[in-house]
Amino acid sequence: MEVSEVSKNKKLLIDGVPFNVESVDFVKPGKGRAIYHLKLRNLLNGILSEPTYHSGDKFDEATITVRDMQYLYEEHGHYHFMDTESFEQHIMNEENVGDKKLYLKDSLGVQVMMWEDRPIDLILPKAVELKIIETESAMKGATVTAQQKLARLETGLEIGVPAFIKEGDTVRISTITGAYVERVG
Amino acid sequence: MDIWRLSEKFDNLKLRAEILRLTRSFLYSRGYLEIETPALAECPIPEACIEPIETTRGRLLPSPELYMKQLLAAGSGDIYQICHSFRKNEKGRQHREEFTLLEYYRVGGNYLQLAAETEALVIGLSEATRNSSRINYQGMSIDLSPPWRRLSVAEAYMSACGWNPITVDDLERFDLDLATGVAGLSRERPLILYDFPAGMASLARLKPEDPSLAERTEIFIGGLEIANIFSELTDPGEQRKRFEIEIKSAEKQNRSAALPEEFLESLKSLPEAAGGALGIDRLVMLFCDAASIDEVVAF
């Protein structure tokens, strides 16, 4: 693939290492050659780099497969998942899970991106249901806006919720915006 | 596009309209005649790094330069136009395939004089729209008051990147360092970069006293390349040779380009002149503090 065809979220294989393209910026002098600033995340260690390429530079695409899995548990920064078809267990480390760990609760169904049998990234469902473990009565004055107060969820995630939400309620949270959607119980 | 997204752009579009009105008024007051030339034609400037958009009836022009110089050769005097121009595959935060160019020619002037006139235009826009010679752009506070910083290509590259492109021939490194190093010299004050290597002269004349340099300037503000200005080459033989090199280089990229014979013929009558191309969208980005060109055009 030519650098001009690289777009956000493409997976590239550079020197044998898979990278996710986080962003592409194109700059071109008025009379000169095109320059591409890429933001690449190393899918093995989570480290971000910002290399520069010229038009004409070529890449191999990393072959990524996606499998349905169930989240099991976390231990010492290792996140355990089970393939729902083969029942194989896979372990992801904290760098690969990133902020998505704040949506992981036991038995959650997720999709896991695999590169050469290694789990490298997670695709969460669009929304997850989590229980409120602490909100305003315990967290005094923890208001977010006039209409919202701060609440802590069972995974450690902190979000703004409407005033009528109580401890012990279960709420639906969007994993895309990180915002409260509705009360479910 | 969602209607609410369009309505979010109204403030920027109003400032854009104001900048266009003030630019026309500035050029009118200085004796420039506004003209229009076709956007669709058979033969654009053959340039290795600029690819025109092909249609079934010709090519959408990357620049109106050739037509405008034919008018100059015919004796039009100082002229300008504000037009859409088209460059294939140029898409990014600072680029669109279809963008708005101010192209302007001053008969009898040279590149440094036209750069000074461009400086006056931008300062005038700032004073008229903001009552100030300072603008804030993407976290930078830029002082537009004159005189702007003027650096030769040799000085700027030595200071920002530690090498001299006039003595070391490395065009690949030139473009990269321009985008990542030299452009950054314009974060606090605009930069007028002048005297390019002769190999990057394009349609500019070489300096009579030093033919290793081309009479070309580029203006950068807040890291954005705003304008490209030449003392125009009036020698058809020399221009033909440069175009032939560009055509060979385009053919290596499997593109066809042709010699614009009509233009080369008119070049014999071209008076001594300076010409500039200024990116209107980028200028509006600066005044609107917009990170992306998409924020300053409606569609």
Side-chain angles (χ1 to χ4, degrees):
Chain A
M1 177 172 30
E2 289 239 0
V3 64
S4 59
E5 299 163 303
V6 171
S7 56
K8 194 175 167 179
N9 286 329
K10 279 251 190 311
K11 308 287 185 284
L12 306 177
L13 196 62
I14 301 169
D15 295 331
V17 177
F19 288 87
N20 184 53
V21 179
E22 308 261 310
S23 71
V24 182
D25 193 25
F26 167 93
V27 192
K28 187 173 178 297
K31 302 274 180 191
R33 289 217 296 160
I35 291 155
Y36 295 83
H37 295 292
L38 303 189
K39 266 196 191 139
L40 298 177
R41 188 169 304 277
N42 182 321
L43 287 170
L44 300 184
N45 61 19
I47 292 173
L48 201 62
S49 57
E50 299 188 26
T52 300
Y53 296 94
H54 264 126
S55 53
D57 287 343
K58 288 189 174 67
F59 297 95
D60 289 327
E61 251 182 288
T63 311
I64 306 286
T65 56
V66 175
R67 292 200 215 153
D68 289 324
M69 297 206 192
Q70 189 177 46
Y71 172 63
L72 300 176
Y73 61 93
E74 179 265 342
E75 195 175 57
H76 309 304
H78 292 98
Y79 292 76
H80 295 250
F81 297 87
M82 184 182 67
D83 189 315
T84 50
E85 240 173 67
S86 66
F87 304 111
E88 269 179 292
Q89 278 201 30
H90 294 276
I91 299 170
M92 282 178 81
N93 55 28
E94 200 147 13
E95 292 79 35
N96 290 131
V97 176
D99 287 344
K100 290 172 188 164
K101 69 182 177 192
L102 294 171
Y103 299 96
L104 290 178
K105 74 171 197 178
D106 295 359
S107 310
L108 181 72
V110 297
Q111 291 185 306
V112 175
M113 286 194 220
M114 306 287 290
W115 173 71
E116 292 186 347
D117 289 327
R118 289 177 68 163
I120 52 172
D121 202 2
L122 267 184
I123 305 169
L124 295 170
K126 285 198 174 64
V128 294
E129 292 174 6
L130 297 171
K131 194 187 248 180
I132 305 276
I133 56 161
E134 204 178 358
T135 187
E136 199 169 11
S137 57
M139 301 162 76
K140 272 236 167 298
T143 48
V144 179
T145 66
Q147 292 80 35
Q148 290 206 320
K149 59 181 183 176
L150 196 65
R152 187 171 298 131
L153 303 166
E154 57 182 312
T155 56
L157 183 65
E158 288 187 359
I159 59 161
V161 296
F164 62 82
I165 298 291
K166 303 180 303 294
E167 268 171 42
D169 284 351
T170 297
V171 293
R172 183 169 289 127
I173 313 294
S174 162
T175 60
I176 297 156
T177 60
Y180 166 89
V181 180
E182 60 185 344
R183 180 166 69 176
V184 288
Chain B
M1 176 164 310
D2 293 338
I3 280 187
W4 66 272
R5 279 218 177 274
L6 269 182
S7 69
E8 275 188 341
K9 294 187 179 185
F10 286 162
D11 284 346
N12 286 355
L13 295 181
K14 280 181 194 159
L15 189 50
R16 181 184 179 103
E18 186 64 0
I19 286 171
L20 286 172
R21 187 184 69 79
L22 291 163
T23 300
R24 286 197 162 94
S25 149
F26 175 93
L27 292 166
Y28 175 77
S29 72
R30 287 172 175 244
Y32 286 86
L33 176 70
E34 179 167 9
I35 52 96
E36 291 177 283
T37 58
L40 188 64
E42 280 306 319
C43 197
I45 303 169
E47 286 179 285
C49 292
I50 297 176
E51 193 173 348
I53 294 177
E54 305 268 354
T55 78
T56 50
R57 295 186 47 213
R59 291 159 169 153
L60 290 167
L61 290 183
S63 140
E65 186 162 354
L66 302 190
Y67 278 128
M68 291 187 73
K69 285 185 181 167
Q70 288 182 56
L71 286 169
L72 286 174
S76 64
D78 304 334
I79 49 173
Y80 79 95
Q81 78 171 312
I82 294 173
C83 62
H84 281 205
S85 296
F86 304 83
R87 296 183 185 183
K88 195 175 171 185
N89 291 332
E90 300 199 7
K91 286 179 232 163
R93 281 193 306 117
Q94 303 174 18
H95 299 264
R96 284 163 62 89
E97 286 190 313
E98 177 173 2
F99 62 102
T100 302
L101 205 57
L102 162 65
E103 183 97 6
Y104 48 123
Y105 291 88
R106 177 64 102 183
V107 174
N110 69 30
Y111 67 137
L112 296 175
Q113 288 162 346
L114 197 58
E117 195 158 34
T118 309
E119 179 184 18
L121 165 67
V122 176
I123 293 164
L125 290 174
S126 182
E127 278 164 1
T129 58
R130 321 171 57 89
N131 236 343
S132 159
S133 59
R134 192 170 276 281
I135 53 170
N136 294 308
Y137 182 63
Q138 301 295 297
M140 295 169 257
S141 173
I142 307 168
D143 179 7
L144 296 177
S145 61
W148 289 356
R149 193 171 181 196
R150 285 159 164 80
L151 288 177
S152 70
V153 164
E155 290 165 341
Y157 275 74
M158 281 310 289
S159 114
C161 314
W163 67 291
N164 180 355
I166 309 300
T167 52
V168 181
D169 185 21
D170 190 340
L171 289 186
E172 201 157 301
R173 195 166 150 210
F174 188 94
D175 290 339
L176 191 60
D177 283 356
L178 187 66
T180 56
V182 173
L185 297 174
S186 66
R187 296 176 62 85
E188 284 160 12
R189 293 178 59 207
L191 169 66
I192 297 178
L193 187 66
Y194 65 93
D195 284 358
F196 278 63
M200 304 179 69
S202 192
L203 287 80
R205 77 172 177 217
L206 302 183
K207 257 178 125 73
E209 64 273 25
D210 183 355
S212 71
L213 301 173
E215 291 193 349
R216 172 176 166 197
T217 79
E218 282 200 0
I219 296 176
F220 288 86
I221 308 177
L224 294 177
E225 182 188 335
I226 297 292
N228 195 356
I229 297 166
F230 300 158
S231 298
E232 300 297 345
L233 177 64
T234 54
D235 176 348
E238 166 71 14
Q239 189 67 72
R240 180 181 294 273
K241 270 189 230 154
R242 290 191 201 166
F243 281 164
E244 281 167 351
I245 294 169
E246 294 287 324
I247 289 172
K248 277 204 187 101
S249 176
E251 282 167 352
K252 274 189 202 151
Q253 304 162 45
N254 298 318
R255 279 170 39 211
S256 71
L259 279 170
E261 291 294 350
E262 211 172 283
F263 163 75
L264 287 168
E265 182 59 32
S266 75
L267 210 47
K268 290 177 190 158
S269 320
L270 188 73
E272 204 160 284
L278 182 148
I280 290 287
D281 310 290
R282 291 196 194 149
L283 191 64
V284 178
M285 281 169 71
L286 275 178
F287 282 95
C288 292
D289 192 13
S292 160
I293 194 167
D294 292 333
E295 295 170 36
V296 298
V297 290
F299 296 97

